[in-house]
Amino acid sequence: MRARNLHLALQAPLENKYMGKPVGAGLLDYEVYLRTSELRSLQSSPHALVIPDEMLFQIAHQSQELWLKLAAFETIGLVEAIDGDDLWAAAETLKRQVLVMKTLESELAVISTLSPEAFLVVRRFLGNGSGLQSPGYFELLLAAETANDALGELLKRRDVRIRDVYEERARYRDLHHICELFVDVDSGFQMWLAAHFTLVRRTLGIDRSVKALDGFPTVALGPRTTKPLFPALWEVRVEMSRGWTRDGGASPTTLRSRDASPSHPSLSSRPLVACDESESGIRTGLGNRK
C-alpha cells in the first residue's frame, strides 16, 4: 500500500511547502525555462513500461545523447578559439570536454546494474535500434574531426611538427599543453567506449554469434574502442619510442648523479613556474590572456 501511494503521489504536482506553490505543473519559472514537463514526458509512462528497469534504460541513454550534444556544441567554441590563437580559451574548453567524457563514462556504471535478463526484455521493444544510430555519437565524431583540423592548422601557422612539440617541450610549452589536453579528451573518449564495450559484454555478450539489433556482431565493438579521435597525437609516441636508444644510460645498480646524466634540451633543469622579473608576474606559456 505504501509503495502504491508513493506511485500515485508522483503522478501529480507536489506542494512546495517553502513557496506555497505546486511543483510539477510546469508553471514555475524553473520549469518553464528547462521545459521540465516536456523533458519528463520523454520517457514511457509508468503503466506503459515493459518492466520497471526500462525507465533506467531510457533515461540513461537520453542523458548520454544530451552530453554528446554538449560535447559537439562546445567544440564550436574550441575551434573558434584555436583559429583565433586564443589558447587560453581553447584550454578552458578542452578541460570542460575532459569532464564531459568522464561524465559519459561514469553514467554507464548505472546502466551496468541492468541484468542480462532485464535487458533482453527491453531489447524486444527497440526495433533495430543500436548505438550506431546515435546522432550524438556522430556529431561528436564530426566535431572532433574539425577540431583536429584546427589543431593541424595551428601547428602549420607556428611552423612546427607535433614531434617538435613533444621533443622540445620547453620551447613549445603552450602547444604542448594544448596537445596534451587533446590527448586527455581522447583518452576520456576511449575510456567511455571501453566502458560501453564492457557494458555490452555484461548485458548481451561479446561474440561473433551475438549480433546487435542492427545486424553487426558485438565482437566488432572491440576495434572501435581503441580507435582515437586524434591519431597523430598518439602516433608521435610511437615515433619517439622507435627512435629511442640506450645510449648514455647505465645499469640500474650504477651510482648516478644528475650532473652526470646526459643532457636533453626539453628536460633541462628549470623552475616549475617561470617568473618574469621584468614584469613581476608569472609566465604560463599560453601567451597573453585575452
Side-chain angles (χ1 to χ4, degrees):
M1 180 63 70
R2 185 180 293 112
R4 176 173 173 76
N5 290 339
L6 175 60
H7 172 77
L8 293 174
L10 293 177
Q11 307 311 306
L14 301 175
E15 186 67 22
N16 186 324
K17 63 181 180 180
Y18 302 104
M19 301 178 63
K21 298 179 180 179
V23 175
L27 302 176
L28 301 180
D29 287 349
Y30 176 89
E31 298 175 290
V32 173
Y33 178 77
L34 292 179
R35 300 166 66 181
T36 55
S37 294
E38 181 179 352
L39 178 65
R40 291 163 59 87
S41 68
L42 297 178
Q43 302 80 41
S44 299
S45 60
H47 71 272
L49 294 170
V50 294
I51 54 173
D53 283 346
E54 188 179 19
M55 181 70 76
L56 162 64
F57 186 88
Q58 291 182 349
I59 289 178
H61 283 84
Q62 288 171 350
S63 177
Q64 292 269 296
E65 286 296 322
L66 290 175
W67 284 116
L68 289 168
K69 177 180 179 179
L70 177 63
F73 174 78
E74 289 283 339
T75 306
I76 299 173
L78 170 63
V79 171
E80 184 178 30
I82 293 176
D83 287 346
D85 292 308
D86 187 353
L87 300 192
W88 275 101
E92 290 170 352
T93 302
L94 285 165
K95 289 177 181 178
R96 179 178 293 176
Q97 296 281 51
V98 171
L99 295 176
V100 171
M101 293 301 150
K102 289 182 178 179
T103 301
L104 281 165
E105 179 194 355
S106 64
E107 284 187 346
L108 292 184
V110 184
I111 312 178
S112 294
T113 63
L114 196 67
S115 71
E117 178 188 19
F119 175 69
L120 290 176
V121 173
V122 174
R123 195 172 185 237
R124 295 193 181 102
F125 297 84
L126 298 179
N128 293 323
S130 77
L132 281 179
Q133 299 172 3
S134 162
Y137 174 70
F138 285 96
E139 287 177 357
L140 178 60
L141 294 184
L142 175 60
E145 182 180 348
T146 305
N148 193 51
D149 291 343
L151 178 61
E153 290 298 323
L154 171 63
L155 296 175
K156 286 182 180 179
R157 290 196 300 274
R158 297 286 189 91
D159 193 25
V160 60
R161 303 174 307 160
I162 291 179
R163 184 159 180 174
D164 297 331
V165 171
Y166 278 88
E167 291 186 334
E168 301 180 62
R169 185 178 60 181
R171 181 179 179 184
Y172 302 110
R173 291 180 66 191
D174 55 348
L175 295 177
H176 183 272
H177 184 61
I178 291 297
C179 285
E180 283 298 275
L181 285 173
F182 266 86
V183 171
D184 289 341
V185 173
D186 207 345
S187 295
F189 172 74
Q190 292 177 61
M191 292 294 290
W192 170 60
L193 291 180
H196 179 263
F197 178 86
T198 302
L199 171 64
V200 173
R201 169 173 277 173
R202 186 166 184 162
T203 56
L204 191 59
I206 298 295
D207 193 82
R208 294 185 181 277
S209 63
V210 178
K211 295 184 179 181
L213 291 170
D214 55 19
F216 286 90
T218 55
V219 72
L221 291 173
R224 189 184 71 165
T225 301
T226 57
K227 186 176 181 180
L229 294 172
F230 315 113
L233 293 175
W234 300 98
E235 183 61 28
V236 70
R237 274 104 170 139
V238 177
E239 294 176 4
M240 294 173 68
S241 293
R242 284 174 178 163
W244 177 85
T245 68
R246 290 184 177 275
D247 296 345
S251 168
T253 59
T254 303
L255 293 177
R256 306 175 281 173
S257 69
R258 186 183 182 110
D259 294 338
S261 300
S263 61
H264 191 287
S266 66
L267 301 178
S268 58
S269 177
R270 62 176 183 273
L272 294 179
V273 177
C275 297
D276 189 337
E277 298 180 355
S278 63
E279 298 178 0
S280 298
I282 296 178
R283 295 198 303 270
T284 63
L286 283 177
N288 295 325
R289 187 170 190 174
K290 296 182 180 180

